[in-house]
Amino acid sequence: VLSLCCEACKKVIFHVPSELEADTLVGRVDLKECLQSAEFVTSSDGNFKVLEDGSVYTTSALSLSAEKKTFTILLKDIQEKVEKKIHVSLVEEEKKTPKTRHSRDTVLKRTKRRWGPIPSVMIENSLGPFPLQIQQVQSDTAQNYTIYYSASGPGIDQDPKGLFYIERETGNIFATRAVDREQYPSFQIICFATTPDGYSPEVPLVHTIRIEDDNDNAPYFTQDLFEFCVPENSRPGVVVGKVIAEDRDEPYTLHTTLKYRIVSQTPPITPAFSLHGDTGVISVLLPQLDRELVPSYTLLVEVRDMAGQPFGLCTTGTVVVKIEDTNDNAPSFKQLQYETRVEENRVSVEILRVSVVDLDEPGSPGSGAVYEIIRGNDDQAFEITTDKNTNEGILCVVKGLDYETAKQRILVIGVNNEAPYVLAPHSQQLSQSTCSVTVHVMDVDEGPVFKPCLLRLDVKECEDIGTAIGRYVAEDPETGNSEGIRYRIPPGQCNWINIDDKSGEVRTVRVLDRDIGEMRRGQCNVTVLAIDRNGKTGTGTIQVCIVPGNKNFPRITQTDYIMCRDRKPICLTAQDGDEAPYSAPFVYRITDRNLASMWKLTPHDDNSWYLSPKSDIPYGIYEIPVSVIDNGGKIGENTVRVNLCDCVTPSECDGRTRQLSGGNVTLGLWAILAMILGSLLLLLILITICGCCGAGVMHRQVTDDCANHNLIISNTEAPGEEVMDHNIIPLQNTCDQGGYGVKTGEQQTFEMVKGRGHTLESVKGGGHQTLGSVKEGGGQPMMDTCRYSYSEWHNFTHPRLGEKVHLCRQDEEQKHSEDYLLSYNYEGKGSLAGSVGCCSDQHEEEALDFLDQLEPKFRTLAETCIKR
């Protein structure tokens, strides 16, 4: 390698063969000479790679086509923001004979490579002498070249520096001092073999120097003190705990194979525990551990390496095993008999303390006493609790005692522990410890007593002032009666009631309404005093509760509705301000008999009913009186206004619906008189017309031309089949011949008007019957009235029209069809005026009132009839 020192960061020249294989070491560049802290080292030519130590290798097979090849090595320090460049030139080397070695006859033979020796081993803490040779590396190319050896890596030029070095000419590796394996278990160094001119015939060798362990570390426990607990009376074999030790020497060797043992036990009695030599697990050995005898044990344990051999290194540790208390000792009373006194009617007063003896650990559940009264406390007048500080039982009176009822009470008290009793080995079951307490009741002069002490009085809502709601009296315990006792209510309480001072009768002083102020809560507690002749007082409490009443009428929330032609039922909903049971379910009734025959109500749920018409009633506005009855029987009157409108949607009405007589319209006297006069005038006109018909002879023949103007009932607007319908009503036409129907009451007749001198009776021939002959049945016409029923008219026209239709079928030129058969084309979307089907003839014998309601539909029919 030819390197110019003054241009160390600028140019480096390597002499190499003309042909280079992949992964061939080209040379090594001193990077630190150019930049001490280079974080990134890159090559400008992808055919070369640069390692961190400055070694340059080829990445692929390379041939030097020219005399020289150059590339650049870029060094970067990001923190210092420094960049350096090294220019590398490759020059083909000249073939020359080695000066220091003589040519040898080439002999083809298989040799063992010495450039890859096995890893070296160095004993830890070696005593030398130093420098100590530990290995030798040699290159087989030394037979043909002069080879110099060098090395780098930890222990050479990296920490710990100077621990190893390699001889340049021989390749011997030496150690300069002892090594601690726990600090440096092994070293990996890189060995180089180069020629004097810098050529490397060998790939750098990674050589491992392993430090062989020496048992120079004694095992140690992970804790200075191990503490374990085990319940008393545990059986042998129960695991108490585990001690853990470690050794820094090489794992999986005798230097780290540990053995445990118990050195001593305190107190020095029968050994209570055993220690597993390999695992360090401590177990119970003594069949009976009694906390009351020995509360804890201290063990001195030892751990030794070299599998416990005497020459192994050892360490000792301390283990403390505490014996946990179990409730194996039952508590017992110090005394079996107790006596005490208490005044009658005293409440929440301590009258006695009892104590027990328990050998278990104080403060533990095994020694905590739990007292109970076994007998003599049927009325729950006494209560006993435990003082946690002293473990004593505190007996108290919680209900006043009555001297007149019992002058003495005898109680039996038992005691247990908080924890359940555990029977110790080789011991017998014990019975519960008990004691008896005699309580003497002392007589005192006591005041009146209310019975009961709390009286509940229910008052209905909105009752009148002064209503008596109950009686509340007290008794003198000494006499057993209420004589001489007066009553009063102390001020400062809710002013709802008062009490008679002598009789104790309770009355209201206000109207109690749950919707007003403080009464919204619905109840109030009133304290009452009872005072006897001696001034002794007693207290009682009256709880006044306002019971909800039936004070509100049910009301229908919405009363105005619009019902269209679909006549969809209306849902009526009522509300009641009262609470149950004075609200829902509601019952609805229509109070007007006339409207009840036209409308009906059906239940929907507890609050709502459906309103719907019973039949096809006329359009109009109906004001329907509806009564709503709540569950308490209270009736609320409501008026529901229904606008029965000829519409599709309610918005089409806009209040234009007429008020019809079918509703609840009341006719006045003048309206009735006008109707009577109109009827008489109509009758007079009919009589006049009939007279005219009787005076003249109708000789008009019903010609075929009139068939064009007959109305045929059809339920479809699309083109249909040939129709032979008997419901054909002749209308007035341009032929001046025809008729009009007069429908009065239940009789339907037809009257013929004057024509051209022909009558229906005169139409004879061709097998046709005249209308007069049909009516008489014998062929005698009735010319006096000129009136025919619908059935007579049908019997006359049906066969005649049938014959005409038959002729139309046989006529090839369809001449007759032009007069009698009309083609109805499909009209598509319906007209705004709606259908005209309501104008068709009806079979039922009913009034013709529907003609009054035709309006725009009738105009459409009229326009259709006058068109040719």
Side-chain angles (χ1 to χ4, degrees):
V1 179
L2 178 60
S3 177
L4 301 178
C5 296
C6 58
E7 298 178 355
C9 295
K10 293 183 179 181
K11 186 175 182 181
V12 175
I13 301 175
F14 292 111
H15 294 273
V16 296
S18 59
E19 300 292 337
L20 296 175
E21 296 182 357
D23 295 328
T24 300
L25 178 64
V26 177
R28 195 165 50 154
V29 180
D30 191 353
L31 301 179
K32 292 184 179 181
E33 183 179 356
C34 186
L35 185 61
Q36 289 291 333
S37 56
E39 297 181 3
F40 290 95
V41 181
T42 57
S43 172
S44 63
D45 192 340
N47 293 321
F48 301 92
K49 63 181 178 179
V50 183
L51 302 183
E52 293 181 358
D53 61 350
S55 301
V56 181
Y57 288 87
T58 58
T59 59
S60 60
L62 186 63
S63 176
L64 296 180
S65 57
E67 295 183 355
K68 187 191 314 184
K69 183 174 183 62
T70 62
F71 61 92
T72 303
I73 299 175
L74 179 62
L75 308 177
K76 290 184 180 181
D77 187 346
I78 298 178
Q79 294 181 356
E80 300 294 335
K81 297 182 180 180
V82 178
E83 293 186 2
K84 296 288 185 179
K85 292 183 178 180
I86 300 176
H87 298 280
V88 179
S89 299
L90 302 183
V91 179
E92 183 179 359
E93 63 180 3
E94 298 177 358
K95 295 183 180 180
K96 58 182 179 179
T97 304
K99 298 180 181 180
T100 58
R101 294 180 179 268
H102 299 283
S103 299
R104 300 179 182 178
D105 296 336
T106 57
V107 179
L108 297 177
K109 63 178 180 178
R110 184 178 182 87
T111 59
K112 180 179 180 181
R113 288 185 57 83
R114 294 176 293 172
W115 185 237
I118 62 175
S120 305
V121 177
M122 178 181 177
I123 303 298
E124 179 186 13
N125 301 321
S126 175
L127 299 178
F130 296 104
L132 177 65
Q133 182 180 355
I134 57 176
Q135 186 59 276
Q136 181 184 21
V137 293
Q138 284 188 335
S139 173
D140 294 335
T141 60
Q143 299 175 5
N144 301 322
Y145 300 94
T146 299
I147 299 298
Y148 294 147
Y149 299 96
S150 61
S152 66
I156 298 178
D157 54 0
Q158 299 177 17
D159 293 333
K161 295 181 179 180
L163 182 59
F164 304 102
Y165 70 90
I166 185 171
E167 287 186 345
R168 182 180 181 186
E169 291 79 9
T170 63
N172 293 328
I173 300 175
F174 292 90
T176 60
R177 61 181 181 271
V179 182
D180 185 2
R181 190 207 67 84
E182 285 71 40
Q183 187 176 6
Y184 302 105
S186 65
F187 297 88
Q188 283 190 342
I189 62 175
I190 301 176
C191 300
F192 302 93
T194 59
T195 60
D197 57 0
Y199 172 66
S200 298
E202 297 281 6
V203 176
L205 171 66
V206 178
H207 183 64
T208 301
I209 302 174
R210 187 175 63 83
I211 308 303
E212 185 175 343
D213 184 46
D214 179 30
N215 190 19
D216 58 342
N217 293 281
Y220 60 93
F221 286 102
T222 57
Q223 296 177 220
D224 296 334
L225 177 66
F226 292 90
E227 292 184 339
F228 303 109
C229 296
V230 63
E232 64 176 331
N233 301 318
S234 295
R235 296 181 179 180
V238 173
V239 175
V240 177
K242 180 180 180 180
V243 293
I244 300 174
E246 295 179 353
D247 196 320
R248 297 180 58 193
D249 290 324
E250 186 174 359
Y252 311 108
T253 63
L254 280 176
H255 299 165
T256 54
T257 303
L258 308 180
K259 285 290 184 178
Y260 302 91
R261 72 184 183 94
I262 297 176
V263 178
S264 63
Q265 171 186 296
T266 303
I269 57 176
T270 305
F273 305 96
S274 63
L275 178 61
H276 194 281
D278 295 328
T279 61
V281 174
I282 301 175
S283 305
V284 175
L285 182 62
L286 189 65
Q288 188 174 7
L289 295 175
D290 191 349
R291 190 204 65 83
E292 287 73 32
L293 295 178
V294 182
S296 67
Y297 294 85
T298 301
L299 306 178
L300 182 64
V301 295
E302 177 191 85
V303 59
R304 186 182 296 269
D305 61 12
M306 300 302 292
Q309 298 182 29
F311 53 83
L313 303 179
C314 66
T315 303
T316 58
T318 302
V319 178
V320 176
V321 181
K322 295 182 179 180
I323 309 302
E324 292 183 342
D325 182 49
T326 58
N327 190 22
D328 58 345
N329 295 281
S332 60
F333 284 99
K334 294 181 179 180
Q335 293 180 227
L336 299 180
Q337 297 288 336
Y338 292 90
E339 287 190 13
T340 185
R341 296 175 181 274
V342 63
E343 294 179 353
E344 65 174 332
N345 299 323
R346 293 287 301 276
V347 178
S348 300
V349 58
E350 177 183 331
I351 61 174
L352 181 67
R353 281 183 175 245
V354 296
S355 58
V356 295
V357 176
D358 197 322
L359 298 178
D360 291 320
E361 183 178 4
S364 66
S367 65
V370 178
Y371 300 91
E372 61 177 339
I373 302 175
I374 299 175
R375 290 192 303 272
N377 192 32
D378 296 336
D379 57 352
Q380 304 297 317
F382 298 92
E383 183 182 69
I384 187 168
T385 58
T386 303
D387 187 337
K388 297 298 182 181
N389 297 325
T390 62
N391 210 30
E392 293 177 328
I394 305 174
L395 183 63
C396 299
V397 178
V398 294
K399 290 184 180 180
L401 302 178
D402 188 3
Y403 174 82
E404 288 73 23
T405 302
K407 299 179 178 60
Q408 180 179 287
R409 300 285 294 270
I410 299 176
L411 307 176
V412 177
I413 300 175
V415 64
N416 289 309
N417 288 128
E418 296 177 6
Y421 179 74
V422 178
L423 185 62
H426 312 292
S427 61
Q428 297 180 354
Q429 182 70 39
L430 299 177
S431 59
Q432 184 182 19
S433 177
T434 59
C435 70
S436 64
V437 178
T438 302
V439 181
H440 299 282
V441 183
M442 301 171 62
D443 186 22
V444 295
D445 186 10
E446 50 192 345
V449 177
F450 284 98
K451 292 184 179 180
C453 61
L454 175 64
L455 176 65
R456 176 188 172 100
L457 295 179
D458 293 335
V459 185
K460 286 188 177 181
E461 195 174 9
C462 298
E463 289 283 357
D464 295 334
I465 297 176
T467 301
I469 60 175
R471 191 166 178 263
Y472 195 34
V473 296
E475 295 181 355
D476 189 341
E478 307 295 336
T479 62
N481 55 51
S482 303
E483 294 181 2
I485 299 177
R486 293 183 176 274
Y487 308 94
R488 71 181 181 89
I489 297 176
Q493 305 183 73
C494 55
N495 188 23
W496 292 7
I497 61 173
N498 63 8
I499 186 170
D500 187 87
D501 61 344
K502 294 181 180 180
S503 63
E505 186 177 31
V506 181
R507 294 178 178 272
T508 60
V509 296
R510 297 174 60 183
V511 176
L512 304 183
D513 190 346
R514 294 171 60 93
D515 297 331
I516 300 176
E518 61 180 5
M519 300 181 188
R520 296 182 187 274
R521 296 178 302 171
Q523 73 174 33
C524 178
N525 294 336
V526 181
T527 301
V528 181
L529 297 180
I531 308 171
D532 62 8
R533 294 187 182 92
N534 300 325
K536 296 286 185 179
T537 60
T539 59
T541 303
I542 298 177
Q543 186 179 65
V544 182
C545 297
I546 303 175
V547 178
N550 195 10
K551 64 176 182 178
N552 295 302
F553 295 93
R555 298 291 181 186
I556 297 177
T557 56
Q558 181 181 349
T559 57
D560 289 342
Y561 295 92
I562 296 177
M563 180 180 289
C564 289
R565 67 179 62 162
D566 58 357
R567 309 203 176 202
K568 183 178 179 181
I570 298 171
C571 185
L572 303 180
T573 303
Q575 290 183 349
D576 194 326
D578 299 321
E579 297 181 2
Y582 301 110
S583 56
F586 301 120
V587 178
Y588 292 68
R589 295 285 185 271
I590 298 177
T591 56
D592 187 276
R593 292 187 177 181
N594 183 29
L595 293 174
S597 63
M598 303 170 64
W599 298 83
K600 64 179 179 179
L601 289 167
T602 54
H604 173 53
D605 54 25
D606 289 347
N607 296 324
S608 304
W609 283 47
Y610 285 122
L611 174 65
S612 59
K614 287 186 177 180
S615 59
D616 191 9
I617 63 176
Y619 295 108
I621 298 176
Y622 297 85
E623 293 185 357
I624 306 169
V626 178
S627 64
V628 183
I629 308 171
D630 62 17
N631 198 35
K634 204 149 193 173
I635 303 175
E637 299 294 341
N638 304 266
T639 299
V640 179
R641 186 176 183 272
V642 181
N643 186 351
L644 184 58
C645 182
D646 184 12
C647 61
V648 177
T649 60
S651 60
E652 297 178 5
C653 281
D654 298 332
R656 292 178 290 138
T657 306
R658 301 183 310 277
Q659 184 82 17
L660 300 182
S661 61
N664 58 343
V665 180
T666 303
L667 298 178
L669 179 61
W670 292 105
I672 297 175
L673 183 59
M675 293 174 62
I676 295 175
L677 293 177
S679 301
L680 293 176
L681 181 61
L682 179 62
L683 182 61
L684 181 61
I685 294 173
L686 293 177
I687 293 174
T688 303
I689 294 175
C690 291
C692 294
C693 292
V697 180
M698 294 177 62
H699 296 287
R700 300 196 62 176
Q701 183 178 1
V702 179
T703 63
D704 296 340
D705 295 337
C706 297
N708 270 336
H709 307 284
N710 293 337
L711 178 63
I712 300 176
I713 299 176
S714 176
N715 292 329
T716 177
E717 297 183 358
E721 300 175 355
E722 293 180 328
V723 180
M724 294 183 65
D725 197 330
H726 59 276
N727 294 325
I728 303 175
I729 305 174
L731 303 175
Q732 187 174 357
N733 50 63
T734 57
C735 302
D736 295 335
Q737 176 201 352
Y740 59 88
V742 180
K743 189 172 184 181
T744 60
E746 300 294 332
Q747 182 67 31
Q748 183 180 17
T749 62
F750 292 88
E751 181 177 352
M752 307 304 300
V753 253
K754 294 181 179 181
R756 297 177 179 176
H758 301 282
T759 63
L760 293 175
E761 290 83 354
S762 64
V763 181
K764 296 181 180 179
H768 294 286
Q769 293 181 342
T770 63
L771 188 59
S773 66
V774 171
K775 182 175 182 181
E776 289 294 324
Q780 299 295 329
M782 295 181 63
M783 302 299 296
D784 53 342
T785 62
C786 293
R787 297 179 182 275
Y788 305 96
S789 66
Y790 171 79
S791 59
E792 293 169 349
W793 178 260
H794 171 269
N795 292 335
F796 170 74
T797 58
H798 189 271
R800 183 175 180 83
L801 293 178
E803 182 179 356
K804 292 293 183 181
V805 173
H806 178 72
L807 292 175
C808 290
R809 292 176 178 175
Q810 294 179 353
D811 191 357
E812 295 180 356
E813 297 180 358
Q814 302 293 330
K815 295 180 179 180
H816 297 279
S817 62
E818 297 178 357
D819 296 332
Y820 303 106
L821 299 181
L822 301 179
S823 175
Y824 292 86
N825 294 327
Y826 179 63
E827 297 180 3
K829 185 177 181 181
S831 64
L832 296 177
S835 175
V836 298
C838 61
C839 300
S840 301
D841 181 46
Q842 302 179 12
H843 290 286
E844 292 80 12
E845 298 294 336
E846 59 183 8
L848 298 176
D849 296 338
F850 67 93
L851 295 175
D852 297 333
Q853 305 178 19
L854 296 177
E855 295 181 350
K857 299 180 181 179
F858 184 78
R859 288 196 295 272
T860 304
L861 176 62
E863 293 173 1
T864 304
C865 292
I866 64 177
K867 290 180 180 179
R868 295 298 298 171

